[in-house]
Amino acid sequence: MAETSNRIEIAFSRLKTEGRKAFVAYIAAGDPSLDQTVEIVAALERSGVDIVELGVPFSDPVADGIVNQLAADRALKAGATTRGVIETIKAIRERSQIPIVLFTYLNPIYAYGYEQFHRDAHQAGADGILVLDLPPDEAAENAELKPVAGLNHIQLIAPTTPEDRIPSIAAKAEGFIYYVSRLGVTGARGDIPQGISEQVDRIKQHSEVPVCVGFGISSPEQAAQVAAKADGVVVGSAIVKLIEQHGSDADLPSRVEAFVKPLVHGAKGA
Amino acid sequence: MWPETNAFFAHLLAGSTSGVGCGKMSSSRSLETTSQPDRHGHFGRYGGMFMPETLMAAQFELIEKYEQTKNDPAFKAELDALLHDYVGRPTPLYFAERWTQQLGGARIYLKREDLLHTGAHKINNALGQILLAKRIGKKRIIAETGAGQHGVATATVCARFGMECVIYMGKVDMERQALNVARMRFLGAEVRSVTAGQMTLKEAVNEALRDWVTNVDTTHYILGSALGAHPFPMMVRDFHRVIGVEARRQVLEKDGRLPDHLVACVGGGSNSIGLFHPFLEDEAVAMTGVEAGGYGIAPEQHAARFQGGRLGVLQGAKTWLLANDDGQINLTHSVSAGLDYPAVGPEHAYLHEKGRVRYTFATDDEALAAFQELSKTEGIIPALESSHALAEVKKLAPSMGKDAILICNLSGRGDKDVAQAARYVFGEELKF
């Protein structure tokens, strides 16, 4: 890989050298508060997480399940805004260089202003953005969402994505591709869907960037199974649920650390 | 066999050229043909397909099947026959003589969609979409509902075709439209209460979309208004164009000329676009869409997107919506559950931008006054949604000459609203 200053790209190139899988953790920024988000990210880093996805809260997150929706509601009620999340990245950057992806919907970015959002997010220290309701087909909107050097646009591929659609998505991919391993919204599930390795192989035929698999992973065993088939795993709702349960506990960050560490070990086979 | 419904298809065909970039063609002369979305559903800069990747394949499948099916003679014959025999088309264009005299201006015609089976225009679209779903091979149907009219229409066609039916409805709407909830249950549908957020129509759409994301292989989502991602705004409109096609023919038969003004209420905007669309190229025909003004135009007190709204993206489409500076969707209020929604259908946003349709609003109080006035003057109890359009007729008709013709779409009947209206008007809680 060419010289890069993007933390996501640096992380994957290091993991490749080490022969290890990536662990991506999602949390809703601002739940229970933006101050706590800084602490939770530090705890995730201590747990061995490689990349953090920060959910920028939106009132109508249609691609998310109830756990993430309630987290976004709590964040909004606690006063989180798009600008507040960007300020929080600055606070995180004072003590950490962990790669950060902003995970959100189009309307908050649209309201903020596409260019301004990119500039501010990048300057604050974000490394990537993933917009759940902006498919590549929306050419005009995608053209306006001009990439800023150093800020990856993460692309998403689903089990329902037709074969002939994969190349066009893969061609735009930066940082990593997020393969949604099952139909449905975000949320923990008991089982692991079939056919993940086939799908990952199919995607890899069209793209150089790593493929991470998520949606529904909640145990170290599941993390290990999925990690064996991909370049990394994404765990979200299970962590968000823990934060929901212990949001008001003084030891929330250490609880997060204790919960995530075994998941990371599962994924990394350690 | 039935000229009215066959005419529906003639117009459907005439307006079926998709792939035309309407944003580039702004001549008002050909607005009807240019008010067609491009292949990703853009009406100018509005509309589109802002969906999670999981649903994109289903949207494209729907586009393909709809384009193939809408011109299939067997499909057209089946829909035509059912619209006539089961739904009760054509609906009358009724001259409201006493109300006309009372208002003392334009001749007022009511397009009687309230007389349709299930009590509102919604069944035109529900029937069209279930026939399409049958052809796609989907066995399970889901829908959202606000006032319950679309839920009832969907439950009805599901019963008629033996399909499994799940209706998502906000908890608040279930309370204020309890009668329709019972109707849906008698029709065999499962009504799922949605308790997120404001617990009204927007949250019901979110839940229906989540169900669809999860069950897309087996399930068709019958979206109930000219909203959401492509092809829904175009397809829902096409299934409702029959309203305007009939009205146009009927007024020409009765008065030998086109009307001066069309009025319809706008929630998502399905009944209004159905009435307006066949008249878009008739430059002399003015059109007014009436949004819900709720308690008045102040943040979170209304659902009038063109008053104090902004451009944004919600539930699949770029359009005018009610949101705060941070892009979070605002709460809305209307006495009418069917209009209580923060985004307007994207084609309306386009027609608003082009200046072809004027958009205004009626408050709860104005709608309730019109509700009572039509009941007492014409012996027709209108839906609270349609009452917003009637409130605008009260303002417009007196200022128009006695030779002028005004057509108002009476999109639904008020049976479902009796308990709600009694609460407001008499201060009484009705017990059933």
Side-chain angles (χ1 to χ4, degrees), chain B residues 9 27-28 73 156 176 200 211 252 306 316 332 350 394 398 411 421:
Chain B
F9 286 110
S27 158
S28 66
T156 297
R176 57 181 169 176
T200 59
D211 182 315
L252 288 172
F306 293 121
T332 53
Y350 176 68
K394 285 180 64 177
S411 54

Side-chain angles (χ1 to χ4, degrees), chain B residues 123-171:
Chain B
I123 195 151
N124 300 326
N125 167 55
L127 183 64
Q129 284 202 45
I130 204 163
L131 290 178
L132 188 63
K134 209 172 67 161
R135 284 175 174 247
I136 300 175
K138 301 285 170 79
K139 303 273 182 250
R140 179 175 177 268
I141 298 292
I142 57 169
E144 85 297 337
T145 197
Q149 288 304 113
H150 175 58
V152 168
T154 302
T156 297
V157 296
C158 285
R160 170 65 182 74
F161 288 95
M163 295 230 208
E164 185 187 345
C165 180
V166 174
I167 305 291
Y168 290 92
M169 190 169 187
K171 186 164 173 279

